[in-house]
Amino acid sequence: MAGKRVIAICQSGGEFDTDRDGFLSYKGGDAHAMEVDGKLDYNDFKMEVAEMFNCSLATMSVKYFLPGNRKTLITISNDKDLKRMIKFHGDSDTAEIYVMTEEAVDPDFSNMPGSRSSRTTLSEMAVPVEAPLSVVEDIVDDPNESGLLLDANFDVVGDTNNVDDTITIGAELPVPISFAAANYDEKNAKAAQQWQNDITGVGQRFNSVHEFRETLRKYAIANQFAFKYKKNDSHRVTVKCKAEGCPWRIHASRLSTTQLICIKKMNPTHNCEGAVVTNGYQATRSWVASIIKEKLKVFPNYKPKDIVNDIQKEYGIQLNYFQAWRGKEIAKEQLQGSYKEAYSQLPFFCEKVMETNPGSLATFTTKDDSSFHRLFVSFHASLYGFEQGCRPLLFLDSIFLKSKYQGTLLAATAADGNDGVFPVAFAIVDSESDDNWHWFLLQLRTALSMCRGITFVADREKGLRESIAEIFQGEDVFHGYCLRYLSEQLIRDVRGQFSHEVKRLLVEDFYGAAYAPKPEGFQRCVESIRSISLDAYHWVMQSEPISWANAFFRGMRYNHMTSNFGELFYGWVSDAHDLPITQMVDAIRGKIMELIYTRRTESNQWVTRLTPFMEEKLEKESLRFSSLHVLMPNGTKFEVQGDTIEVVDMDNCDCSCRDWGLTGLPCCHAIAVMGCLGRDPYDYCARYFTADSYRSTYSESIHPIPSLEKPKRKDASQAAVTVTPPPTRRPPGRPTTKKVGSHEVTKRQLQCSRCKGTGHNKSTCKEVLLES
């Protein structure tokens, strides 16, 4: 049974309805899914469920129905109950779990009339001396949420001018709170000592209720005691020590006609011996955020596990992973702004992009429910640089975003004259789909003033083959299939159990066929594939070699065969993917702006006619022509003899070796002919490789976007466009590190050392069993 796994669909916050036959149905609430097996400990299971719904372990109960019985709820209260639940659902892959909160009974419950519903931030159970510290994940920070009502023997003397100082007595209601065990080490609490005197006594004033709560929390941590709220609202806070019978009390309320909060009464005496008796700290996620915020600003990749270790060392408080993660999320939002607000800023953001960078295109679309769908951005400097200085070659690729609302970034990048990445346009979409790629290419076609002769290097799937042909129809564009995607699809599609070595040889021959400049070389490579696998050979021949093989491709790829050319750009995206959407785009804009400035400055120092990379390639070709012999004919075609015999056509800038036409630089055969004719090889290089064209690529600048504050509408009739976050959200827990899509990892095949077969090893070899 330990191997049986069940997907537990955990539901909370809804209500049960009973029909005429007595069957129960659950409606409303939230739902999460988790995997449960026989090895899972009940306490771990309950803690994870509590984390899902932010429920208190003390007031939470977990129930389920037996298969086929919707009338009786069964409670899970220990390890045996959990294992029984898994066993009962042995014939099913899923089990429905219902999480309910039960009211906690206050031992000091009073029947007197109460004020507004109140809450407590710690369990009301008595804490023994030997009990571990309790680290509270959350404390009521909302001014509108009140705390536990004051008990009858605590008389508060308040400001006579403030009628709200009268405190009534009432019953408490439970609040969902998670607890984690912690051990306090006084040697590790040095950082908290600075807060020991933050509360000075009656008359001390604070700018707001929130400031008072935060100060009180730090004061409690520094002085090693736990407290509970007796009253907690927008204008007054009353707190007592959590230890039963301890006289420590504090009451603060708002001063009349001001927002200031003043301590009106305080009993600073503890008889609970501090940490020895109370054993609790108010370590909320908002407190964690306030502690790590400055460090997170300097180290954006500050990991939750490091936060746990640092707070343990500096404050002696042991957090769990989720407390640290949630604290980090709050700190990030405080530093970066709200994710939700960023989506609402998109209309104004697009206006600002086009206003500050004339000639740019920034546009977005929403779905019928106003949720975000797509955003396209292309800066004028990128469009101008591509059209004036880059080769008519665009690489289309995508990268998955691991942000709060996920999504995918689609991008079109180019190659500058020095073979560097030059970003042209990008889009953030809710998912990578045929429709979104079609929309991206439509926007790209609108942004470009000239599309004739462009070669796209991209996957043939995801609707790209059809979209490129449809949108750029009549523009004489070409679509070269990405070899990386093709080779991966080849390995997936070909039947048969092949070892890693055989697969490597298949891919090697496939790439050889693609790079072969002549049909004869292509044929040799595919025949090699045929000798390995007939299925692979048929797959290759049916995969439209005219769209990926140099021997047949009609466009100009300049020997760039894969679409992941823009790795530098995708690295920027990975660094910024955790930001709200407008800040992510602005971070990418900043990187492009910096790239343009840096490369422009560097190129102004060049003294060569070509870019450094192309100068080096031309020099290598020039070193090879000395051993060649040129036969001088009467016309413009020359025979060049060497290891092979090639024909150079000077009028058409072509050589039968095809290197000149594939790369845009004269090959060694052409340079040999030019030497005989007294011509300069530089005059026959593609113009895109010259230093002047490179400078044209980076001649325009991208300007900053000054402010993202929404403008006030001058005309009341102008209806503001509403954009809300997409419905997709990052699932809870640590993101997977397994690469997806084009980086999928192939599982290694077993190979028998006896019979050399695959799929088994020698200990399970059937041939050995038959012999015995």
Side-chain angles (χ1 to χ4, degrees), residues 447-466:
L448 293 171
S449 60
M450 185 278 299
C451 299
R452 182 167 295 278
I454 292 179
T455 295
F456 291 95
V457 180
D459 191 4
R460 65 173 178 173
E461 304 296 331
K462 307 162 190 171
L464 283 167
R465 176 171 50 184
E466 295 77 15

Side-chain angles (χ1 to χ4, degrees), residues 96 118 195 260 268 271 333 340 371 411 434 453 457 463 507 551 600 726:
E96 293 187 357
S118 43
W195 303 327
L260 296 176
N271 64 10
E333 187 159 315
K340 185 176 181 180
S371 63
D434 297 5
V457 180
V507 172
R600 180 198 302 149

Side-chain angles (χ1 to χ4, degrees), residues 163 242 463:
V163 296
K242 182 183 179 293

